Amino acid sequence: MIYLSKEIESWERFYRAHFINTLSGFKSVSLIGTTDASGNPNLAIFSNIVHLGADPALVGFVNRPLEAGGHTLTNIKETKYYTINHIHTGIMEQAHQTSAKYAKGVSEFEQVGLRADWNEDFKAPFVAESNIKYGLSLEQVIPIEMNGTFFVIGKIEMVMVDKELIQQDGFIDLQKAGSLCSSGIDSYHLVEEGKRFAYAKV
């Protein structure tokens, strides 16, 4: 079948959303932890987190339009700090539940049964149950005018990961850590052991 843009645009909203969201393939999925200016913790699931560079160590993610709800970007703008926490099967259901629209000031940590892990050297909460987690400071927020979303860029300030997951060359074994990936809006997947290749040269 061949589907043209006019036909896709005519589809029912959620059918179209599932179709387009799965089209881009498997994606990393993580929980982003923040606090507001008063120190109230917030936790939300994101599946559009991307590596931007290693020197400096930058990571970006796309935040939905502000009118769509959610408090992640508002909190990041207020405090300038946030955490990204990998998801594994042991916390998969709790992680998905953070996508519900809880009221401002309500802690998703408490609502879904996850523990906030506070580090004295960092100003945002980590997820205690996560196997790989890192803290970032806000570098830039880029508005995307076409659909009202925002591309948020952060600098990695702190990483928390078991040494046993790190190979000799610095490669983190995500499969051994149990980190999940996602497809679409609501599908989560285990990752099989991958195949590594030598650096490609002409």
Side-chain angles (χ1 to χ4, degrees):
M1 295 295 295
I2 296 176
Y3 301 102
L4 300 180
S5 59
K6 283 188 177 180
E7 180 181 358
I8 294 171
E9 290 164 5
S10 72
W11 291 345
E12 186 272 331
R13 174 190 171 195
F14 289 106
Y15 183 93
R16 183 176 68 245
H18 283 296
F19 183 88
I20 296 299
N21 267 279
T22 50
L23 192 62
S24 59
F26 293 106
K27 300 163 283 191
S28 65
V29 61
S30 296
L31 289 164
I32 295 185
T34 62
T35 64
D36 61 20
S38 300
N40 297 308
N42 178 265
L43 191 64
I45 192 166
F46 284 81
S47 61
N48 46 36
I49 298 167
V50 294
H51 160 80
L52 294 178
D55 187 18
L58 299 176
V59 171
F61 75 92
V62 179
N63 198 91
R64 297 173 65 193
L66 294 179
E67 58 268 20
H71 310 107
T72 299
L73 181 55
T74 301
N75 289 352
I76 291 173
K77 284 183 173 180
E78 286 181 3
T79 67
K80 311 301 182 190
Y81 292 92
Y82 56 104
T83 69
I84 297 180
N85 309 264
H86 285 212
I87 297 167
H88 53 78
T89 54
I91 59 172
M92 179 172 53
E93 291 184 27
Q94 297 97 316
H96 179 73
Q97 183 60 31
T98 66
S99 62
K101 293 184 178 180
Y102 293 99
K104 183 172 175 57
V106 173
S107 169
E108 286 83 358
F109 283 96
E110 294 179 2
Q111 294 298 312
V112 307
L114 293 173
R115 291 178 293 125
D117 182 11
W118 298 94
N119 187 290
E120 62 181 15
D121 295 321
F122 205 72
K123 300 177 182 179
F126 295 87
V127 176
E129 294 83 355
S130 178
N131 294 327
I132 298 175
K133 42 202 167 188
Y134 49 107
L136 304 97
S137 60
L138 177 64
E139 288 288 320
Q140 189 175 5
V141 177
I142 303 173
I144 302 174
E145 296 179 0
M146 288 175 285
N147 61 0
T149 60
F150 299 86
F151 190 58
V152 184
I153 300 173
K155 179 184 176 184
I156 297 175
E157 302 285 356
M158 171 185 287
V159 179
M160 300 171 72
V161 58
D162 193 319
K163 276 188 176 181
E164 292 184 359
L165 298 176
I166 307 172
Q167 297 182 4
Q168 281 190 327
D169 63 354
F171 182 88
I172 301 174
D173 192 335
L174 303 183
Q175 189 266 338
K176 187 176 180 180
S179 296
L180 300 179
C181 65
S182 72
S183 62
I185 300 170
D186 52 18
S187 181
Y188 304 93
H189 307 265
L190 283 167
V191 179
E192 294 184 357
E193 187 174 358
K195 171 69 175 175
R196 295 188 69 190
F197 292 88
Y199 186 85
K201 298 180 180 179
V202 175

